[in-house]
Amino acid sequence: MNELRPACPLCAETGGLLVARGERWRVVRVEDAPSFPAFYRLIWNGHVAEFSDLDAAQRLECMEAVTAIERALREALAPSKINLATLGNVVPHLHWHVIARFDWDSHFPNPIWGETRRQVEGGAAARLALPVEALDERVRAALAAAQSPGA
Amino acid sequence: MNELRPACPLCAETGGLLVARGERWRVVRVEDAPSFPAFYRLIWNGHVAEFSDLDAAQRLECMEAVTAIERALREALAPSKINLATLGNVVPHLHWHVIARFDWDSHFPNPIWGETRRQVEGGAAARLALPVEALDERVRAALAAAQSPGA
């Protein structure tokens, strides 16, 4: 279950800007989607393709970490909506997208994979309530709090 | 948490062809996306917008039901990939998309919300390993088994 496959990009590389690293997963901020600056990915470290390849304890751990990211984004940014998705059609190595969406963003209410609806003058990152580096810190803290026994 | 809002379409209507109904959620098959015939939605009955609006026990129940749907689709159809997503940008009432994807489908490997890649001659439903009504029965049985105490 936790084997790595050298030909898989999410086995070979971190897969984004590293924000937090757990024993079984890591969280990165996606840097190649500037229209969506508050875009994080939880990547399962072991090479599994589907969510249901995880056992019950792993699924719980995975979704509680996803929830911690979601809550950090909601508290820091008050987004119009959170989008969660695990697709993996191109890279079938389990990863969860956690994306804060805003009614002013380039695609809203379309999915980020759909058609562009508008241009965002000055760039999307500048419209967030705090710099992305500070957001990373909030996400990191939320994940740490969710993992601590007294959480 | 479990209030209903008459103006919300997922409070007012079933939201698709009803496959299974639990106390806190229901599962429907999506009938208005013929390119993706193996497309189910788990809809939380109460009007909450975000996954993290659920408490821990509700999140667990929700994702275990999503997992049961996913497993039923994998076992019945051997799809190229399962896609899971909760977006809700248009209807912010918690619902999970569970979609079996195939390397021959109209959009693969694009998300279903992305660009079309090909035409599927004869229609997608005809290429599934079993009729959608039989698939519904597999999904219903998987959900029932996941809910029974001895599962």
Side-chain angles (χ1 to χ4, degrees):
Chain A
M1 171 93 55
N2 283 313
E3 65 174 314
L4 297 180
R5 297 189 190 180
C8 168
L10 290 181
C11 287
E13 296 157 33
T14 304
L17 181 80
L18 188 66
V19 172
R21 186 184 283 282
E23 189 181 340
R24 282 171 288 280
W25 45 262
R26 61 192 184 270
V27 172
V28 302
R29 176 158 49 78
V30 174
E31 295 185 289
D32 58 359
S35 295
F36 307 102
F39 184 169
Y40 292 81
R41 278 193 195 116
L42 182 142
I43 303 165
W44 199 256
N45 288 332
H47 187 87
V48 298
E50 303 287 5
F51 183 61
S52 63
D53 287 330
L54 302 184
D55 67 28
Q58 292 170 329
R59 291 195 298 275
L60 178 62
E61 179 181 343
C62 180
M63 294 313 293
E64 289 304 279
V66 166
T67 300
I69 302 168
E70 172 173 315
R71 287 196 165 139
L73 299 185
R74 292 179 72 184
E75 289 166 15
L77 303 175
S80 305
K81 193 69 191 64
I82 295 288
N83 291 174
L84 305 178
T86 181
L87 307 179
N89 302 330
V90 176
V91 180
H93 174 133
L94 182 64
H95 57 282
W96 278 93
H97 306 290
V98 185
I99 313 156
R101 301 295 310 278
F102 299 90
D103 57 11
W104 49 258
D105 78 31
S106 59
H107 286 56
F108 199 88
N110 290 349
I112 70 165
W113 306 280
E115 287 184 21
T116 301
R117 295 287 289 259
R118 65 189 66 81
Q119 297 297 316
V120 178
E121 290 196 24
R127 300 196 51 170
L128 298 184
L130 70 177
V132 288
E133 293 78 11
L135 189 60
D136 292 345
E137 191 49 53
R138 299 278 197 106
V139 169
R140 191 178 300 120
L143 287 162
Q147 286 179 279
S148 64
Chain B
M1 173 90 56
N2 282 314
E3 65 174 315
L4 296 180
R5 299 189 187 181
C8 168
L10 290 181
C11 288
E13 296 156 36
T14 304
L17 181 80
L18 189 65
V19 172
R21 186 183 282 283
E23 190 181 340
R24 281 171 290 279
W25 47 260
R26 60 192 184 268
V27 172
V28 302
R29 175 158 49 80
V30 175
E31 295 185 289
D32 58 359
S35 294
F36 307 102
F39 184 169
Y40 292 81
R41 279 193 194 116
L42 181 142
I43 302 166
W44 198 256
N45 288 333
H47 185 88
V48 298
E50 303 287 6
F51 183 61
S52 63
D53 288 331
L54 301 184
D55 68 27
Q58 292 171 329
R59 291 195 297 276
L60 178 62
E61 179 180 342
C62 181
M63 294 313 294
E64 290 303 280
V66 166
T67 301
I69 301 168
E70 172 173 314
R71 286 196 166 139
L73 298 185
R74 292 179 71 184
E75 288 166 17
L77 303 175
S80 304
K81 194 68 190 67
I82 295 288
N83 290 173
L84 304 179
T86 180
L87 307 177
N89 303 330
V90 176
V91 179
H93 175 134
L94 182 63
H95 57 283
W96 278 93
H97 305 291
V98 184
I99 314 156
R101 301 294 311 277
F102 299 90
D103 59 9
W104 49 257
D105 78 32
S106 59
H107 287 57
F108 199 88
N110 290 348
I112 69 164
W113 307 281
E115 287 183 21
T116 301
R117 296 287 288 261
R118 64 190 66 82
Q119 298 297 314
V120 178
E121 290 194 28
R127 300 197 49 171
L128 298 184
L130 70 177
V132 288
E133 293 77 11
L135 189 60
D136 293 346
E137 191 48 53
R138 298 278 196 106
V139 168
R140 190 178 299 117
L143 286 162
Q147 288 179 277
S148 65

